Amino acid sequence: MNDSEDTNGLKLSKPTGDFEGHALPGSFLLILGLWWSSLSILKFVCKQKKETFYLGSKALIHRAKFLEGIVLVGMVITGISGLQIFADSSEIQFLRILRLHHITIYIFFGLLGVANILCATISSLPASLIKLMLSNAFFVQTFIFYNHTHGRDTVDIFLHKLLGLAAFLAGLVSFMEVLTKNNAILELLRSSLIILQGSWLWQLGFILYNPTGGPAWDLKDRNNNMLLSIYFCWHYAFTFIIIGVNYAVITWLVKWRLRKLCLAEVTLLKNAEREQESGDEM
Amino acid sequence: MNDSEDTNGLKLSKPTGDFEGHALPGSFLLILGLWWSSLSILKFVCKQKKETFYLGSKALIHRAKFLEGIVLVGMVITGISGLQIFADSSEIQFLRILRLHHITIYIFFGLLGVANILCATISSLPASLIKLMLSNAFFVQTFIFYNHTHGRDTVDIFLHKLLGLAAFLAGLVSFMEVLTKNNAILELLRSSLIILQGSWLWQLGFILYNPTGGPAWDLKDRNNNMLLSIYFCWHYAFTFIIIGVNYAVITWLVKWRLRKLCLAEVTLLKNAEREQESGDEM
Amino acid sequence: MNDSEDTNGLKLSKPTGDFEGHALPGSFLLILGLWWSSLSILKFVCKQKKETFYLGSKALIHRAKFLEGIVLVGMVITGISGLQIFADSSEIQFLRILRLHHITIYIFFGLLGVANILCATISSLPASLIKLMLSNAFFVQTFIFYNHTHGRDTVDIFLHKLLGLAAFLAGLVSFMEVLTKNNAILELLRSSLIILQGSWLWQLGFILYNPTGGPAWDLKDRNNNMLLSIYFCWHYAFTFIIIGVNYAVITWLVKWRLRKLCLAEVTLLKNAEREQESGDEM
Amino acid sequence: MNDSEDTNGLKLSKPTGDFEGHALPGSFLLILGLWWSSLSILKFVCKQKKETFYLGSKALIHRAKFLEGIVLVGMVITGISGLQIFADSSEIQFLRILRLHHITIYIFFGLLGVANILCATISSLPASLIKLMLSNAFFVQTFIFYNHTHGRDTVDIFLHKLLGLAAFLAGLVSFMEVLTKNNAILELLRSSLIILQGSWLWQLGFILYNPTGGPAWDLKDRNNNMLLSIYFCWHYAFTFIIIGVNYAVITWLVKWRLRKLCLAEVTLLKNAEREQESGDEM
C-alpha cells in the first residue's frame, strides 16, 4: 500500500481533505472522551462514598445514557451533512471513495447512538450491547484507516496509522469492558485513548492542512515519522494529566457541592421506598 | 504471496472457481448464522421471562443440537459432492489443490457436525467441545484462505482476505465462548460474523464471476480495494439490522404465540416432577 | 529473511540437518502429547464418576508429575547428546549456530522437567509454575524457529513456519492454563497441538530428508506450499481422531478395569482417614 | 524502515549512542526487576505461612510503594539529566530526535513513579492504577523502539527489536495484572521479563559500543542475528535461575531470620487492635 504511483496515474498534488474535516470529528471525540471520563470518575467516587449516594447517581447515569444517544446521533448527522455539503460535485472517483470512508465511520458511531437510545428505553436489552457497539465503531474505524491512505506520502500514512492504532486500542479496551463489568480502570483507559484520538486529529489537521499558513512539513521525510512518534507519546501523556485534573475536580465537586443535591435526592428515593413499603403493607 | 508470475509459468486468464461454488457455502453460512442468532435470542428472551419457561426451552435446545449436527453433516456432504462432481477431470494440479482447500474447510465443518451429534448423545462430554470445534473450523478456514490466493489479482486477494478476517474474528469469538459460558452478547456477535461471511461470499461470487453478465470489475485496480472495504463495513452494519429485526420478531413471537405452547410444556414438566416427587415419597 | 543469497556467500547445496534429528524430537512430542491427553482424559472421566475416585486418581497424578520430570530431563539429555555426538567437528559456523538453536530449545524443555521435579517435591510451589514453564518452552521454540530458516528454500521455510505456528498456539493455550485452572477442553487442545507438532516433525523429516530415498520434493515451488497447508490441516484433523479414540479407550478402561483397583485405593484412603479421625479424637 | 540510505543523505559511520547511555537504564531495570521479584516472593511466602504474618508484611509493602515511587522519580531525573548533560550541543537533528526518544521513555517511567506516590498517599485511588501505568510505560517503550532504529545496520535493528519484544511482553503481563489481582506467577513472569530487559541492555551496550575495546561485531552480517537470538534465550533462561535463587534465599530468610522480627510486629499490631477494641468499648 506504500507505493504512490498507481492511483489511476493521478499524482495527488496536495493531501486530500481539509482542516475542518479533521477538526470536527476531533472535537467530537474530545467531548466524548471528557464526558465519559467524567462519568466514570463520578461513578467511581460515588461508589466509594456511600451506597445510597451511588444509587442516586446510577439513576442519573441511566437518564444520561438516553441523552448521550441523542447527542451522538446529532453529531453523526452534523458530520455526514458537513461532508456532503462541502463535497465538490466534480470530484474524481478517488475522492468520492475517501468521503465514503468517512461516512462509513460516522454510520457506525450512529449505530452506537441508536444502541444507546434502545438500551435506555428497552430495559430487557443487555447493557453490554452499548460497549459492543462502541468497540465495533472503533474496530471499523481502524479497518477503514488501514485501507484509507493508499498512494499518499509517508508522513501522511504514518499520521493515519497512529490514529488507527489509538482507535484499535480503544476498540480492544471497549471489548474487554463487554466481558468484565464496571472496571473503573478500563473505563478511564478507554476515555484516555478517545481523548488521544481527538487531540491527534487536531494535530493531524495542523500538520497536513495548516490553517495558520505556517511552514509546511516535508511529508516525504522519514525523520519526521520518528519525530511524530514522540509527539504521539506526549499527546498520550497529556491525556493522563487531563484525566488526573478531571479526577481532582470531580472529587472536590462531589465533596463540597453535590453533597446537598444528592442528600435531597436520597431523601426523595427514601420517601419513594417508604411509600412503596407502605403500599406493600396494605 | 502477492506476485503473480510464478504459478508454474501459467498466467491464469480468469479467476479460478465459479459462482455456484461460492454461493452454496455462502447460503449455508447465512442459514447457520440466522439459525444460531435465533437460538441465542430465544434463549436470552426466555431466560428473562421465567425460570420454568427457560427450562422448557433448554430441553428444546438440547434436541435441536442433534438435528443441527445432522444438518451440518448433510451440508458438508452436499458441498464436497458438488466440488467433486463438477470437477474437471483434466484439471491442472494447481486447480486440484484449490479444490482440496475447499474440501479441507468442509471437513472441519463436518467434524463440528460430528461433535454436535456426539455431545447430544453422550451426556458426559463437555458442552464447550462444540464451541471448540466451531472455533477450530473457522481458524482452519482462515489458515486455508491465507494460503489460497497465491498468484491472483489484487482485488481477488483482497476479497478473500476480508473473508479470512471475518472467519478469524468468528473463530476468536467462538474460542472466547469456550472460556466463558452463556454470554448472549458473544453469541450474537459470533452469529453476526457468520452472517457477514455468508453475505460476503455472495458478494464475492457476484464480483468475480458475475452470473448476470454485467460489467466486470477491474481486478487489478487498487482503488477497487478501497471501495470494497466500504462494502464490507456496510455488509457488517447490515448484519446488525438483520439481528435487530430477528430480536424484535422473536420477542414478539415469545410474547404472543409461544406462551400457550410453553405453558402446556411447563404443565407437562410439572406433572413429571410431581410424579417423580410422589415416586420419591413412596 | 526470505532472500537466500547472503549466508556468507555460501549457497547451501542441500537442506541442513538430517532425518533422525527431526524424527527424534517428533517422537518425544508424540509421546508427551499422548501421555498428557491420556492424563487429562483420565482426570476428566474420574471427576465425573465419583469424588472419592477423583481423590484417588489425584494422588496418582501427583506421583506421575515426578516421573514426568525425570523422563523429560532424560529426553533432553538424549536429544542434546545426539546433536553433540553426530556433530561434524569440521562444520562451518552457520551449521554450529543451527545446532545451538536446537540445543536452546532442548534446554527450555529441560527447565520444564526441572520445574516438574521441584513442584512434585516442594509442596509450597504453585502448580501453575509447570504450565508457565511449558508455555515458555513453546514460545522460545517459536522464537527460535522464526530465526532459524534464514537463507533456505521457500518450502523448507514454510514447513518450519507451520511448526512454529503449532508451537506458538500450544504456548498460547498453555499460558491460558496458567490463568484458568482445570479446564479439560484447554488441556485436550494443548495435547492435540503437541501431537500435531510431533507428527509434523515426522512429515518434515520425510519431505526434506526422505530416508526411503523416494522422489524429492521441489523445495522452490510455491505450489507445494499450498499443498502442504492442506497436509497440515489433515494432520490436525488426525490428532482429533487420535484423541477421540483415546477418550473412548480410557472411558472403557475406567468403567471395566480400574473400578476394582480404585475401590481398593479408596478403601485405603478411608482407612487412613478413619485412623486420622481416631487420632483427632484422642 | 530497513533501508539505510535516506537519513538526509547522511550515512552514519558508527552506531549512534554510547555504552553508558545503555548501561545506566539497564542497571535501573535490573534493580527494579530484582526488587519486584523479591517483593512478590516475600508476599507469596508470607501468605502461605500465616495470615497475621501476611498482614504485617502487607503494611510493610504499602510503605515500600511510597519509597518505590521516590526512587523511580530519582532514577528518571538521573537518566534525563545524563542525556541532557552529555548531549553534544552541535548535534544534528537526527541525533536530537534519538535523544528525545530516550527522554520520552523516561517520562513514562516518571509517570509510573508519580502514580506510585499518589496511590500510597491517597487511599481512594485504585491499586491497579500502578499496574496500568507500568504496562503503559512498557508499551510506550515498545512503540518508541519500533520507530527508533530507522536507517541502522541489521544487527543493531535486531538487538533493539528483541529489547522491544521483551518490553512488549512485560507490558502485556502488567496489563493482565490490571485485570487479575494477586497472581504470584504473573508477578514473577513480569519481573523476569524486566530483568531480561536489563541484562539485554548491558549485552546491547557491549555489542554495539564495546567499552573493553575488544573485536567489533560485524553489524551487517545476518548470521549474527541468528546467533544473537540464542543469546537472548540464554539471557531469559538466566533470569529464571536468578529468580529461583532469589526464591530459595527469601524462603530461607523468612524461615530463620524474619520470624523474630515479624512476631514482634504482630504483637505490636495486636496491641494496637486491643487498644482500638478497648476504645470501641468505651
Side-chain angles (χ1 to χ4, degrees), chain C residues 139-167:
Chain C
F139 282 139
V140 165
Q141 191 185 337
T142 313
F143 175 74
I144 292 285
F145 280 142
Y146 186 80
N147 293 294
H148 190 58
T149 53
H150 171 51
R152 304 216 197 158
D153 290 325
T154 175
V155 173
D156 196 349
I157 290 170
F158 189 69
L159 284 167
H160 279 88
K161 253 191 196 164
L162 292 185
L163 196 58
L165 177 67

Side-chain angles (χ1 to χ4, degrees), chain D residues 223-247:
Chain D
N223 282 353
N224 282 335
N225 285 3
M226 295 179 79
L227 189 60
L228 284 168
S229 67
I230 302 170
Y231 278 39
F232 190 66
C233 291
W234 288 357
H235 273 261
Y236 189 43
F238 191 58
T239 64
F240 280 114
I241 293 162
I242 290 176
I243 284 180
V245 170
N246 205 356
Y247 183 88

Side-chain angles (χ1 to χ4, degrees), chain A residues 9-250:
Chain A
L10 170 98
K11 195 70 212 67
L12 299 170
S13 53
K14 63 171 193 66
T16 55
D18 52 4
F19 180 73
E20 291 77 18
H22 290 84
L24 187 72
S27 309
F28 285 164
L29 284 168
L30 276 177
I31 293 167
L32 282 174
L34 282 172
W35 164 244
W36 280 328
S37 73
S38 307
L39 219 60
S40 303
I41 293 167
L42 190 68
K43 223 163 65 182
F44 179 72
V45 171
C46 288
K47 207 175 185 175
Q48 285 191 322
K49 294 291 164 195
K50 273 185 180 180
E51 196 58 29
T52 48
F53 197 24
Y54 174 57
L55 285 169
S57 68
K58 214 174 161 183
L60 219 78
I61 284 167
H62 186 77
R63 255 172 287 162
K65 281 266 160 266
F66 188 77
L67 266 173
E68 214 177 283
I70 301 287
V71 171
L72 264 166
V73 171
M75 281 176 172
V76 166
I77 290 168
T78 315
I80 292 180
S81 310
L83 282 170
Q84 294 289 15
I85 291 165
F86 295 107
D88 191 353
S89 61
S90 65
E91 66 182 2
I92 56 168
Q93 200 221 355
F94 185 67
L95 290 179
R96 198 172 56 82
I97 290 172
L98 291 185
R99 212 179 64 240
L100 282 175
H101 275 170
H102 285 114
I103 289 175
T104 305
I105 295 172
Y106 274 120
I107 285 173
F108 274 81
F109 277 96
L111 282 176
L112 168 65
V114 171
N116 253 324
I117 294 170
L118 285 177
C119 280
T121 48
I122 306 171
S123 62
S124 70
L125 284 175
S128 48
L129 185 66
I130 297 173
K131 295 287 155 65
L132 182 72
M133 295 311 291
L134 185 60
S135 103
N136 263 330
F138 284 124
F139 282 139
V140 165
Q141 192 184 336
T142 314
F143 174 75
I144 292 285
F145 279 143
Y146 186 80
N147 293 295
H148 190 57
T149 53
H150 172 52
R152 303 215 197 160
D153 290 324
T154 174
V155 173
D156 197 347
I157 289 170
F158 189 69
L159 283 168
H160 279 89
K161 253 190 196 165
L162 292 185
L163 197 56
L165 177 67
F168 177 72
L169 293 175
L172 215 59
V173 174
S174 305
F175 194 80
M176 282 177 200
E177 286 185 75
V178 174
L179 300 175
T180 64
K181 326 230 152 178
N182 289 320
N183 191 325
I185 285 286
L186 283 186
E187 286 180 17
L188 287 180
L189 182 60
R190 170 170 51 87
S191 304
S192 76
L193 287 165
I194 293 169
I195 295 174
L196 174 63
Q197 280 181 65
S199 72
W200 193 249
L201 268 166
W202 273 88
Q203 177 79 59
L204 195 150
F206 268 102
I207 290 175
L208 296 183
Y209 331 98
N210 197 337
T212 63
W217 286 63
D218 180 359
L219 298 186
K220 292 187 199 306
D221 185 0
R222 283 202 175 173
N223 281 354
N224 281 334
N225 285 3
M226 295 180 79
L227 190 59
L228 285 168
S229 67
I230 301 169
Y231 277 38
F232 189 66
C233 291
W234 288 356
H235 273 261
Y236 189 43
F238 191 59
T239 64
F240 280 114
I241 292 162
I242 290 177
I243 285 180
V245 169
N246 205 356
Y247 183 88
V249 168
I250 286 174

Side-chain angles (χ1 to χ4, degrees), chain A residues 44 48-49 158 161-162 165 173 176 180 183-186 188-189 192 220-230 232-234 236-238 240-241 247 251, chain D residues 1-3 6-8 93-94 96-98 100-101 103-104 107-108 111 122-126 128-129 132-133 136 140 143-144 147-150 175 178-179:
Chain A
F44 179 72
Q48 285 191 322
K49 294 291 164 195
F158 189 69
K161 253 190 196 165
L162 292 185
L165 177 67
V173 174
M176 282 177 200
T180 64
N183 191 325
I185 285 286
L186 283 186
L188 287 180
L189 182 60
S192 76
K220 292 187 199 306
D221 185 0
R222 283 202 175 173
N223 281 354
N224 281 334
N225 285 3
M226 295 180 79
L227 190 59
L228 285 168
S229 67
I230 301 169
F232 189 66
C233 291
W234 288 356
Y236 189 43
F238 191 59
F240 280 114
I241 292 162
Y247 183 88
T251 311
Chain D
M1 290 277 180
N2 290 333
D3 47 340
D6 57 349
T7 57
N8 284 333
Q93 200 222 355
F94 184 67
R96 199 172 55 84
I97 290 173
L98 292 185
L100 281 175
H101 275 170
I103 289 175
T104 305
I107 284 174
F108 273 82
L111 282 176
I122 305 170
S123 62
S124 70
L125 285 174
S128 48
L129 186 66
L132 182 72
M133 297 311 291
N136 263 330
V140 165
F143 175 74
I144 292 286
N147 294 294
H148 189 57
T149 52
H150 172 51
F175 193 80
V178 174
L179 299 176

